Amino acid sequence: MSAPTLRPPSDPAVPSRPAPAPLRPSGLTWTVLRLHRAALLVWVAALLVAGAVLTWMYVIAPNAGVAGGPCAAPPVDGLPDCAAVDAMTTNDVYSAGLDLVATALSYLMLPVAAWAGAALIGRELENGTAQLAWTQSVTPVRWLAAKLAVPAVLLTAGTTAVVLLHVWVRRDENGNLLGAWYDSDVYLSIGPTAVAYALAGLALGALAGLILRKALPAAGAAFAATLVLSYVLRAVRPSLWPTTTITGRAALDLPPDVLVLEHGVVTSDGRRIGNDLACVGSETQNQIRACMKSSRLSDFWATVHPESHFWPLQLVESGVLLAVAGAAVAVTFTVLRRRTA
């Protein structure tokens, strides 16, 4: 027989310890994530779709180059069969996939601004949930800081990942498939400006939500403000960095990777005329001399941004956007302090 196990009698006067609660994330960060989990799921799904599309574009990139290249019928000297090439649409798929991702990155700041104005700030102020949170030992400043910091981190990490993946996929140098670096959508999708635009949209949306305190008006105002900002910066982009002037025959035969801002001629009496394409079609030196003599020209010039200006333009524009975002955040906190003082 086994000996019975002796247990001391429980003392009803001594309360038993409650079972430890399961570990769960807590704090303002977790609150923001739970409250806006629908937006978080949409953002994660968008990143997964973009990653899948870009990975597929990387896989089919070699075939895209073949589909757009020379062929022979029947195939000879290593050239593919024209019948097979004509049946291939890989180059169209490749180009369309890259264009889709580039466009999505270029206009990301618009839905971000509308969401920040409506759901992130405006709706909570309109429904009174923000005021309720301020009575639960959460100061308004901490509340707003968490509201801005959590989506800012997620936007920065996700957008940066997609931009880097997009740059990695653009390994083919075929400009017909990839588009020029200065094309607006391409330009905004392969550099830090994509992240800066998203953060500027977030800050402008938060400011609109705090000022208007209603979801729909804040969404509209944030969307409009961000759209105006993007159009203004697109218009002034060429002037964000000093241009390069090319003279002589080189101005008639510009490489395809330069952004031409102005093209002109210098007359024999020293006058400089812009947007004049005289003698551009001349191929030989004799043709150029004959054209210059008949047109009474002494020189040619072109004002351009070469591809080497890509990073200076990107950094300056990103700096402007981050300054706008910083100013919007500062104004947002100032307005909040005045309204809750």
Side-chain angles (χ1 to χ4, degrees):
M1 293 181 61
S2 59
T5 303
L6 299 179
R7 296 182 180 177
S10 57
D11 188 353
V14 179
S16 59
R17 290 185 178 182
L23 295 178
R24 296 193 320 179
S26 59
L28 282 176
T29 300
W30 177 244
T31 302
V32 173
L33 291 175
R34 284 196 61 189
L35 188 60
H36 301 284
R37 57 184 175 273
L40 176 62
L41 293 175
V42 170
W43 177 236
V44 172
L47 293 179
L48 292 176
V49 170
V53 170
L54 289 174
T55 302
W56 177 241
M57 295 305 103
Y58 181 84
V59 171
I60 68 174
N63 292 332
V66 172
C71 61
V76 293
D77 299 332
L79 295 177
D81 188 357
C82 287
V85 170
D86 290 340
M88 293 175 64
T89 58
T90 309
N91 53 339
D92 296 331
V93 174
Y94 180 74
S95 180
L98 292 181
D99 289 344
L100 178 64
V101 175
T103 302
L105 283 172
S106 300
Y107 293 97
L108 174 64
M109 67 280 191
L110 298 177
V112 167
W115 172 79
L120 187 67
I121 302 296
R123 185 177 64 188
E124 292 203 33
L125 291 174
E126 183 178 8
N127 295 340
T129 54
Q131 293 84 342
L132 177 62
W134 299 343
T135 63
Q136 306 295 322
S137 71
V138 176
T139 64
V141 172
R142 283 187 60 206
W143 172 84
L144 181 58
K147 285 287 185 180
L148 291 174
V150 174
V153 170
L154 295 175
L155 282 171
T156 300
T159 307
T160 301
V162 176
V163 168
L164 293 177
L165 188 58
H166 193 207
V167 173
W168 172 64
V169 172
R170 292 172 58 88
R171 58 176 180 168
D172 196 321
E173 297 299 327
N174 190 341
N176 294 327
L177 294 177
L178 301 180
W181 67 268
Y182 49 80
D183 291 345
S184 182
D185 287 357
V186 174
Y187 172 86
L188 292 178
S189 64
I190 58 175
T193 51
V195 180
Y197 268 108
L199 294 178
L202 175 67
L204 291 174
L207 177 59
L210 190 64
I211 291 176
L212 298 177
R213 304 172 69 89
K214 292 184 179 296
L216 288 180
F223 185 95
T226 310
L227 186 63
V228 170
L229 175 65
S230 65
Y231 274 117
V232 169
L233 285 179
R234 182 179 300 183
V236 303
R237 184 174 297 150
S239 61
L240 294 178
W241 192 257
T243 57
T244 297
T245 300
I246 301 175
T247 59
R249 182 175 179 178
L252 300 178
D253 189 20
L254 295 170
D257 61 348
V258 300
L259 171 60
V260 181
L261 302 177
E262 197 171 9
H263 196 289
V265 297
V266 180
T267 61
S268 56
D269 58 358
R271 289 187 302 115
R272 198 170 184 177
I273 304 175
N275 298 320
D276 191 325
L277 301 179
C279 306
V280 168
S282 303
E283 296 181 358
T284 65
Q285 192 68 29
N286 291 333
Q287 288 177 335
I288 295 175
R289 289 173 181 171
C291 180
M292 293 178 67
K293 183 178 180 180
S294 62
S295 303
R296 297 181 180 180
L297 303 177
S298 62
D299 201 1
F300 308 96
W301 57 273
T303 302
V304 303
H305 273 304
E307 192 172 6
S308 59
H309 288 186
F310 170 78
W311 278 109
L313 288 169
Q314 282 273 334
L315 295 177
V316 172
E317 187 168 354
S318 298
V320 172
L321 288 165
L322 292 178
V324 170
V329 169
V331 174
T332 303
F333 275 100
T334 300
V335 173
L336 179 67
R337 288 191 182 97
R338 290 181 178 178
R339 288 187 173 179
T340 58

